[in-house]
Amino acid sequence: MESDTAVRRNRGYRAANNPSDRDENSGAKSLDSEQKTDSSGSDEIKKKPVSLSLLEESNGAVLLGFFLLALWGLVHLSLRQLVVGASTGEFNAVRARKHLEHITAVGPRTVGSPENEILTVNYLLEEIEKIKAGSNKAHTISVDVQKPTGSFTIDFLGGFTSYYDRVSNVVVKLEPKRGAKHAMLANCHFDSVANSPGASDDAVSCSVLLEALHSMSNSSTPLRHAVIFLFNGAEENILQASHGFITQHPWAKLVRAFINLEAAGVGGKEIVFQTGPENPWLVQAYVRAVKHPFASVVGQEVFQSGIIPSDTDFRIYRDFGNIPGIDLAFIENGYLYHTKYDTADRILTDTIQRAGDNILAVLKLLASSEELADSSEYRHGNMVFFDVLGVFMVAYPARVGTIINYMVTVAAFIYLGKKCSLPNNVGVVYMRSLVYAIGVTLMSWFITLVSVLIIAVLISLTGQSMFWYTHYYVSVCLYGTAGIAMLMLIHTLAKNHYYGNMNQLQVGEIYFDATLTLWCCALVYLTQQGLCSAYVPMITVVFPLITKLLLRQEIKQRGATVKYTALYLLGLSLPYVHFMFLMWVVFEIFTPILGRSGTEIPPDVVLASITAGCVIILSSYFIHLIYLSKSTKRTLVVLASIFGVVAVLVSCGMFFPYSCDSASPRPKRIFLQHTTRTFHDLSGEVVKKDSGIWINGFDYTGMKYVTPHIPEINDTIRAPCDKQVPFCGFPWFLPVEFLVKKNWYLPAPEVFPKTPIEFALLSKQQTDWGTTKLSFEVKGPSHMSLYLLPRHGAALTSWSFGDGTPQFDLGGEYFIFYSHGLDAPAWRFWFEVQAPKSNSGEEMISIGIASHYFFGEDQKTPQLMELLHRFPDWSFPSHWVSTYNLYQY
């Protein structure tokens, strides 16, 4: 009954929707009577079009394949084209490269090290003095070396508190001779993480700013406002130096806006991934000024959602300085980010040139703009912005975007409404068919996602997780083909069994309308949420709808011909090329991140989810073609064969996750700490002491691939977490124990740093308001971590950090990150504990203090170096010496 009813519904819809049919049959004849009229040879038959054709499967597959490959090639070409057109010559990338090579030549530049605090600072000052000596008389250059001390709390990695003492900032102010009341800030950082040269993160940015300073200072055109160049020396310590500048430096009061240069990869194009908050004039300035645009508001909203586990100095200037800005970062090749492979030779001169051209142009424009002088007047509102293949920018106010979005929605619903309002109950039949089509489409998407996730879980359970880390396209061949095949199979079954006796052209049109309706729903939802990313579904509604209207007569008169299909795909080009660009950004960022996202998140499940999402998005308007094709059998067989072959190869372990290929390394990240742990009881006596090399694997595979090379590192030495002591009783450098729960502890001799930590209780006193105030003094290396765990119902009520209010992390513990530069005094702090009334001599709080030796002689031990040399070439074991001491009070 359901099948017969569906056939009658479609026949009625076809007759009502085709004017020629209505004329020939007087709006009332059935298809059977039409056929009789045809055979009778009446004059009306001459008016009928030729028989309508369906799309040959081979033609459709070739056209779709060519379409996708052509668009992907276009995106890839635009990404490789770093510099568009000839350079103006204002920015000298060769000179900037020399700065980059000199800065990275000193090696890793961790905070507190001579390489960071002396060698790099001195080089910057020498180069700045040379620039100052050769500058045009229209400008004044002032230089200051700041050594700030401060503390703040940040909601990052679950939340923790940061304390810094005498970190380094090199600050340069370029201003007109007459002085300036307002300034534009340009920020980079010259420090690096331990064991990495930090070329892309962030020496290249400082090199770009040095050359931008040189260019601007040599210009004979006087500036309207000042430009402050901040070379900050403590960003890798979780944004400390920028906090010191914006909260303490006298020039900070002049700053009205900023540009921050960062990196999450090595080389490539620098992308604008966040702006604001609000202040649309900054985006407008970027659009007007840049020569090589690369920006997307989608990236901004994804980054600010917190999905990406990273942060930049942008947050500090925004939250502590209430200043708007533009955040740029290099994102390509994130596999090398924070590793020994982040070297100057991997950064192309064209990368430096394009970044320099863009930054210099934006700084010059903003330093001469009216908006900078009174930015509050132009503050309100957001911008929709994106580039088109790096050639030009599209940008418009968010309020205009809202109007456009609703206009597009109204136009789409008018298109759909006309069909719903057809007379003789045809509109009702159409609506019912549309609802069924939407249901089938949503069901196909859900089943596709679940199927791909099941495959990812099976891959993880069989121990082949991360097979794609080096062989990215293998994941496409596994998860992508599975998703496409499942989606095609569902619609093929629907076409053959549910719509078997119906006109396929009409069914194809209904599924186009179903896809259009779903994208309209996405457009309305994102617009209602106030998201500027709503422009994506907007263009995904506009261009297909216009294309469909233009091709209406073509498909009515000739059917699903090759010409129709080619023109249909051509109409999808703009939204689909933008989809592919956004997908490239997503995979370029998230695939490397999955190699350092910890031991608890199954990376294959994440990657499979992203892949399935991409399949669903890209296939949305292709569903229309499935119903217009004669068959999909051969395509399904090919997809199933590819999936089967790849699945077998993956299951057999044919794809090793990591690579030491010098041209394109994909290293496994490992942290090694040779540590000594000492535990004290309430009386101060040592109750436990051990030493070993503490090993953290920062991806899901743990030590599976390392054990064959170093048999001692196996599951028998897994380090359990002792919940009775702060942070499991191990020297966590950052509070990431919730991400890395699988650790290994290889017994080793005790460590004896030449600058051992000294921890002393200065005073313990009862306050008038019933709390116990404990004051301490600590002397130790440049990096220390303080862990606090209240016990037996006690609570921290106040302390000397941040704003005075204790901020705990996700686990209810307190983490304080400490670092210092050179010649810093002893670290003194206090906190107050409120003990429960029932407490009678029991401990109130456990205190853990860890020291980290990231440079110099104390960084290495013979045992650590011997183990280090045994690690395979495809791994990157970042190493240092540490200690952990536990005290009870």
Side-chain angles (χ1 to χ4, degrees), residues 1-15:
M1 287 297 295
E2 178 62 26
S3 177
D4 291 341
T5 304
V7 172
R8 289 197 296 271
R9 283 201 304 268
N10 196 58
R11 286 172 174 172
Y13 168 67
R14 179 188 174 196

Side-chain angles (χ1 to χ4, degrees), residues 390-583:
V391 178
F392 63 90
M393 285 285 296
V394 176
Y396 49 88
R399 62 182 181 275
V400 174
T402 300
I403 296 171
I404 294 173
N405 294 346
Y406 284 126
M407 288 176 63
V408 169
T409 304
V410 169
F413 282 129
I414 289 174
Y415 163 81
L416 296 169
K418 283 186 175 181
K419 297 185 177 183
C420 294
S421 60
L422 290 171
N424 299 328
N425 204 41
V426 174
V428 175
V429 173
Y430 167 79
M431 289 177 61
R432 192 177 302 149
S433 300
L434 181 63
V435 171
Y436 289 163
I438 291 173
V440 172
T441 301
L442 291 175
M443 179 186 69
S444 70
W445 290 353
F446 177 75
I447 294 175
T448 296
L449 176 62
V450 171
S451 301
V452 174
L453 289 179
I454 289 173
I455 295 168
V457 170
L458 292 175
I459 291 294
S460 300
L461 292 176
T462 57
Q464 301 302 326
S465 184
M466 294 188 65
F467 66 90
W468 38 262
Y469 196 62
T470 294
H471 315 277
Y472 164 71
Y473 286 103
V474 178
S475 69
V476 177
C477 293
L478 184 70
Y479 300 131
T481 56
I484 297 169
M486 182 57 65
L487 192 141
M488 285 188 65
L489 177 63
I490 293 168
H491 286 284
T492 299
L493 291 174
K495 181 178 74 171
N496 293 338
H497 296 282
Y498 183 73
Y499 299 110
N501 297 321
M502 296 174 66
N503 185 300
Q504 286 186 232
L505 297 179
Q506 295 297 333
V507 177
E509 184 172 348
I510 289 173
Y511 272 87
F512 173 87
D513 294 348
T515 301
L516 188 74
T517 303
L518 291 170
W519 276 111
C520 279
C521 293
L523 174 58
V524 172
Y525 175 77
L526 293 180
T527 304
Q528 285 289 327
Q529 295 298 310
L531 296 175
C532 295
S533 300
Y535 84 86
V536 176
M538 184 272 291
I539 64 174
T540 312
V541 171
V542 168
F543 289 93
L545 179 57
I546 293 174
T547 302
K548 193 69 175 66
L549 292 174
L550 291 175
L551 294 176
R552 172 179 283 183
Q553 292 304 315
E554 172 68 24
I555 193 169
K556 280 186 177 181
Q557 294 174 5
R558 296 179 177 82
T561 60
V562 171
K563 177 183 176 182
Y564 169 82
T565 307
L567 292 174
Y568 177 77
L569 294 176
L570 184 64
L572 300 178
S573 296
L574 187 57
Y576 270 64
V577 78
H578 196 64
F579 276 146
M580 288 190 168
F581 161 72
L582 293 177
M583 290 173 185

Side-chain angles (χ1 to χ4, degrees), residues 95-107:
R95 189 159 47 220
R97 171 169 284 283
K98 290 179 180 178
H99 295 315
L100 170 63
E101 292 170 350
H102 193 105
I103 293 172
T104 55
V106 304

Side-chain angles (χ1 to χ4, degrees), residues 714-789:
N714 54 59
D715 284 346
T716 63
I717 61 166
R718 282 275 296 274
C721 176
D722 185 353
K723 293 293 185 181
Q724 299 303 310
V725 295
F727 283 82
C728 302
F730 284 101
W732 289 100
F733 174 59
L734 286 171
V736 294
E737 81 289 351
F738 64 97
L739 290 174
V740 188
K741 293 185 177 181
K742 297 182 182 71
N743 305 283
W744 290 258
Y745 195 51
L746 183 65
E750 184 176 353
V751 298
F752 297 97
K754 293 184 177 179
T755 55
I757 192 170
E758 299 177 21
F759 184 84
L761 174 66
L762 298 180
S763 65
K764 179 179 180 181
Q765 59 189 89
Q766 298 296 318
T767 65
D768 295 338
W769 44 90
T771 63
T772 302
K773 183 176 182 179
L774 301 169
S775 299
F776 299 90
E777 180 180 273
V778 184
K779 296 180 181 178
S782 61
H783 293 75
M784 292 184 281
S785 304
L786 178 67
Y787 324 109
L788 306 177
L789 178 62

Side-chain angles (χ1 to χ4, degrees), residues 191-206:
D191 66 312
S192 73
V193 295
N195 303 301
S196 173
S200 189
D201 186 24
D202 191 35
V204 67
S205 298
C206 290

Side-chain angles (χ1 to χ4, degrees), residues 205-227:
S205 298
C206 290
S207 304
V208 166
L209 288 190
L210 270 177
E211 179 54 26
L213 171 62
H214 179 275
S215 177
M216 295 181 73
S217 66
N218 277 276
S219 173
S220 59
T221 305
L223 300 172
R224 182 172 183 172
H225 309 295
V227 179

Side-chain angles (χ1 to χ4, degrees), residues 117-318:
E117 311 298 330
I118 299 175
L119 296 179
T120 306
V121 169
N122 286 347
Y123 176 76
L124 290 172
L125 292 174
E126 290 171 6
E127 293 303 311
I128 292 166
E129 284 302 317
K130 293 177 185 177
I131 294 171
K132 184 177 180 180
S135 63
N136 192 281
K137 295 181 179 179
H139 313 288
T140 299
I141 297 180
S142 306
V143 186
D144 183 47
V145 178
Q146 184 197 22
K147 299 287 186 178
T149 296
S151 178
F152 62 95
T153 297
I154 186 170
D155 182 19
F156 178 59
L157 295 177
F160 65 94
T161 300
S162 180
Y163 186 97
Y164 56 91
D165 196 358
R166 293 187 60 78
V167 296
S168 296
N169 278 326
V170 177
V171 196
V172 185
K173 182 169 65 171
L174 176 69
E175 61 183 336
K177 278 288 184 183
R178 54 179 169 75
K181 296 181 180 179
H182 313 283
M184 181 71 196
L185 174 67
N187 177 79
C188 69
H189 70 90
F190 57 83
D191 66 312
S192 73
V193 295
N195 303 301
S196 173
S200 189
D201 186 24
D202 191 35
V204 67
S205 298
C206 290
S207 304
V208 166
L209 288 190
L210 270 177
E211 179 54 26
L213 171 62
H214 179 275
S215 177
M216 295 181 73
S217 66
N218 277 276
S219 173
S220 59
T221 305
L223 300 172
R224 182 172 183 172
H225 309 295
V227 179
I228 296 174
F229 295 84
L230 174 58
F231 303 89
N232 91 60
E235 189 273 347
E236 297 297 354
N237 284 11
I238 316 300
L239 323 177
Q240 292 177 336
S242 57
H243 182 270
F245 171 80
I246 205 64
T247 59
Q248 300 173 42
H249 200 282
W251 294 348
K253 298 176 182 178
L254 304 175
V255 177
R256 301 292 177 264
F258 69 89
I259 290 181
N260 181 52
L261 282 71
E262 256 296 350
V266 178
K269 294 184 174 184
E270 82 291 346
I271 186 172
V272 174
F273 64 96
Q274 58 179 337
T275 65
E278 297 191 288
N279 290 275
W281 60 276
L282 282 172
V283 175
Q284 292 167 347
Y286 178 86
V287 172
R288 293 200 305 269
V290 292
K291 305 179 186 304
H292 320 292
F294 194 47
S296 173
V297 72
V298 176
Q300 169 176 300
E301 292 179 339
V302 169
F303 187 84
Q304 293 180 349
S305 70
I307 294 176
I308 300 175
S310 183
D311 223 327
T312 73
D313 288 323
F314 183 97
R315 171 195 279 258
I316 298 297
Y317 299 131
R318 179 195 66 195

